[in-house]
């Protein structure tokens, strides 16, 4: 266990559904991340939060809406997704950029396997 | 735009062999380079992190080297074991954005008993 948990582990949704992915970290970190891992493509960074503030949006479509209510929790709200959005969504955490030794590695959760029909 | 390439895409070797996984990146202005392993149904586990000023890092049977000027890194696994079977990912971060990791597509490694 890395100290980062994600729920649900698997999700099937239709294109008109609204669902949310949840991530929680128990490592005392202040930075959290969402990544997308599609078949046959490299892992892609989606969003970065430092001290609950979004500091990076990697040109992600607005049908993906992140929320970070506190440093331990991160959500990804999904609405009107497309079949090509089917992928493994990974959450990660680390020390924040304003903290000492912020170059330390990111710790990843197990991911949510999403299928959009 | 930084691009990371990993060769080979898949590798199968008998147990006990020493092996090398390769990673190359197009922009040498990196902050650090990391090697991760990913097991099926699980997230990523960090193996080694090499700062841009370093040339190598070692952890147990793993040794990672970095040649920043040529844009290359290697992960050496000694005396491979079936438990080493996994996908190995290389990722680099830029000086301007140390939190923005750019990943390669990975090498799927199978160690045969």
């Amino acid at each position: 266990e890395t100290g980062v948990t994600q729920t649900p582990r698997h999700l099937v949704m239709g294109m008109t559904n609204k669902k949310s992915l949840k991530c929680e970290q128990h490592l005392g970190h202040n930075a959290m991340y969402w990544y997308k891992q599609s078949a046959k493509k490299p892992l892609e960074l989606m969003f970065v939060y430092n001290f609950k503030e979004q500091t990076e949006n990697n040109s992600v479509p607005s049908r993906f809406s992140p929320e970070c209510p506190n440093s331990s929790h991160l959500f990804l709200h999904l609405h009107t997704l497309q079949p090509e959005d089917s992928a493994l969504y990974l959450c990660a955490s680390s020390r924040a950029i304003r903290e000492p030794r912020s170059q330390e590695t990111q710790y990843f959760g197990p991911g949510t396997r999403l299928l959009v029909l | 735009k930084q691009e990371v390439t990993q060769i080979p895409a898949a590798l199968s070797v008998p147990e006990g062999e020493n092996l090398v996984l390769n990673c190359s990146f197009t922009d040498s202005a990196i902050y650090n380079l990391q090697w991760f392993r990913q097991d099926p149904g699980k997230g990523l586990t960090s193996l080694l992190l090499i700062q841009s000023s370093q040339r190598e890092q070692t952890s147990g049977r793993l040794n990672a080297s970095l040649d920043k000027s040529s844009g290359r890194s290697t992960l050496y696994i000694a005396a491979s074991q079936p438990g080493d079977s996994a996908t190995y990912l290389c990722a680099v971060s830029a000086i301007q954005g140390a939190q923005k990791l750019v990943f390669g597509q990975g090498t799927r490694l199978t160690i045969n008993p």
Side-chain angles (χ1 to χ4, degrees):
Chain A
E1 293 296 326
T2 62
V4 181
T5 59
Q6 291 187 242
T7 54
R9 295 293 309 275
H10 301 272
L11 179 62
V12 179
M13 60 185 291
M15 290 193 290
T16 59
N17 291 158
K18 291 184 179 181
K19 296 288 185 183
S20 295
L21 310 184
K22 179 183 177 182
C23 174
E24 182 173 3
Q25 58 95 2
H26 307 275
L27 301 170
H29 291 155
N30 283 301
M32 297 189 78
Y33 312 74
W34 279 117
Y35 287 88
K36 176 182 179 182
Q37 188 174 35
S38 305
K40 302 184 185 301
K41 291 181 67 176
L43 196 63
E44 300 173 275
L45 178 68
M46 300 175 72
F47 301 103
V48 182
Y49 278 81
N50 283 276
F51 296 99
K52 303 187 294 180
E53 299 294 324
Q54 187 182 123
T55 53
E56 187 72 34
N57 177 336
N58 198 23
S59 303
V60 180
S62 59
R63 58 186 183 270
F64 295 91
S65 175
E67 178 189 5
C68 190
N70 55 62
S71 292
S72 298
H73 294 85
L74 184 66
F75 295 89
L76 187 62
H77 304 298
L78 316 171
H79 61 99
T80 59
L81 293 191
Q82 305 297 313
E84 58 265 29
D85 296 322
S86 298
L88 180 67
Y89 289 85
L90 292 163
C91 172
S93 72
S94 76
R95 291 177 182 260
I97 55 175
R98 297 200 299 272
E99 294 179 298
R101 301 179 65 195
S102 62
Q103 65 270 27
E104 286 191 359
T105 193
Q106 298 174 21
Y107 293 82
F108 285 77
T112 295
R113 176 73 63 184
L114 174 66
L115 177 62
V116 182
L117 300 176
Chain B
K1 180 183 174 184
Q2 178 74 272
E3 291 185 2
V4 179
T5 303
Q6 292 186 245
I7 295 173
L11 180 65
S12 181
V13 301
E15 179 178 3
E17 282 201 4
N18 303 324
L19 57 98
V20 174
L21 307 181
N22 296 292
C23 171
S24 62
F25 46 95
T26 55
D27 186 348
S28 63
I30 65 170
Y31 190 74
N32 62 40
L33 182 144
Q34 299 180 59
W35 284 93
F36 294 85
R37 72 175 277 170
Q38 184 174 26
D39 295 281
K42 297 185 179 180
L44 278 63
T45 301
S46 177
L47 297 173
L48 291 164
L49 184 152
I50 310 178
Q51 299 293 343
S52 62
S53 58
Q54 298 174 320
R55 293 193 65 84
E56 66 177 334
Q57 283 286 341
T58 298
S59 175
R61 294 182 293 107
L62 305 179
N63 175 275
S65 68
L66 173 63
D67 184 344
K68 197 175 66 168
S69 61
S70 67
R72 295 178 188 275
S73 175
T74 61
L75 179 66
Y76 175 82
I77 302 177
S80 58
Q81 303 171 358
D84 295 330
S85 297
T87 296
Y88 289 80
L89 297 167
C90 167
V92 298
S93 63
I95 293 174
Q96 304 91 331
Q99 290 180 304
K100 295 179 63 176
L101 296 180
V102 178
F103 283 83
Q105 288 196 253
T107 294
R108 189 172 69 254
L109 176 64
T110 302
I111 307 299
N112 301 304

